[in-house]
Amino acid sequence: DVKVTQSSRYLVKRTGEKVFLECVQDMDHENMFWYRQDPGLGLRLIYFSYDVKMKEKGDIPEGYSVSREKKERFSLILESASTNQTSMYLCASSLNLAGGWRYEQYFGPGTRLTVT
Amino acid sequence: GQQLNQSPQSMFIQEGEDVSMNCTSSSIFNTWLWYKQDPGEGPVLLIALYKAGELTSNGRLTAQFGITRKDSFLNISASIPSDVGIYFCAGGTQGGSNYKLTFGKGTLLTVNP
């Protein structure tokens, strides 16, 4: 079974702090994604990566950065946390087969971040 | 950008009843996925559909990829209390930089025992 783990289930940070959210997958997937989920807004893509050291902006990258130094690990960084970044953060991964993407994304359990 | 309209937004049903929900779009998708999310957890993949017209089952769940490529349906038969959760559809497109999934806003299902 695909397993995606996230470093924390719950996190409380203060405004202005630098926040690191870590995600690890154990299935040798090429693609990794970070989403945030808010009531009424659904899942919104922040960043994704299709290879080590590669990253692409999603729909709402402002205020976030990412790092992918190893294939299995994808980190989301909030350089200076703000209250409007209070949200559920979900990491996902997917396989990239020769000849095309597989669109099945496998999600971690999520990190509920509160910024006060 | 692409948008998915998922309906209904919520459903309250009795245990044993069948459930239907759907997603529609003005855009064409080459892939449809259905996920379930329990409270406080990440979404779990239920069914993946890759061909227009395809009908796929996973236990009591059946999903169909609409022939127009603009919609998909999920049916749950003989619901049980553990079916409670939020069900999301997601449409995927292929080619170039069109890598990503577009998600519906979810259908909240409540099952009364």
Side-chain angles (χ1 to χ4, degrees), chain A residues 23-90:
Chain A
C23 175
V24 177
Q25 50 93 7
D26 67 358
M27 285 304 291
D28 204 34
H29 283 179
E30 289 79 10
N31 311 316
M32 297 188 75
F33 307 82
W34 274 106
Y35 294 88
R36 64 178 284 176
Q37 184 177 31
D38 301 287
L41 297 177
L43 277 84
R44 293 181 291 169
L45 182 65
I46 304 171
Y47 268 96
F48 80 104
S49 168
Y50 54 87
D51 202 351
V52 175
K53 296 194 186 296
M54 303 301 288
K55 61 184 179 185
E56 293 275 351
K57 292 180 179 179
D59 299 319
I60 52 163
E62 296 79 18
Y64 303 94
S65 62
V66 290
S67 172
R68 192 158 180 211
E69 296 296 319
K70 293 185 177 182
K71 188 176 185 179
E72 68 271 18
R73 189 179 297 270
F74 193 34
S75 302
L76 180 69
I77 303 153
L78 287 66
E79 294 289 342
S80 178
S82 63
T83 54
N84 64 11
Q85 292 178 310
T86 292
S87 186
M88 173 74 138
Y89 289 87
L90 291 162

Side-chain angles (χ1 to χ4, degrees), chain A residues 9 37 48 59 103-105, chain B residues 35 37 40 50 93 99-100:
Chain A
R9 295 299 302 273
Q37 184 177 31
F48 80 104
D59 299 319
Y103 281 90
E104 293 97 318
Q105 291 184 18
Chain B
Y35 288 87
Q37 186 175 24
Y50 276 85
T93 52
Y99 54 88
K100 66 181 183 181

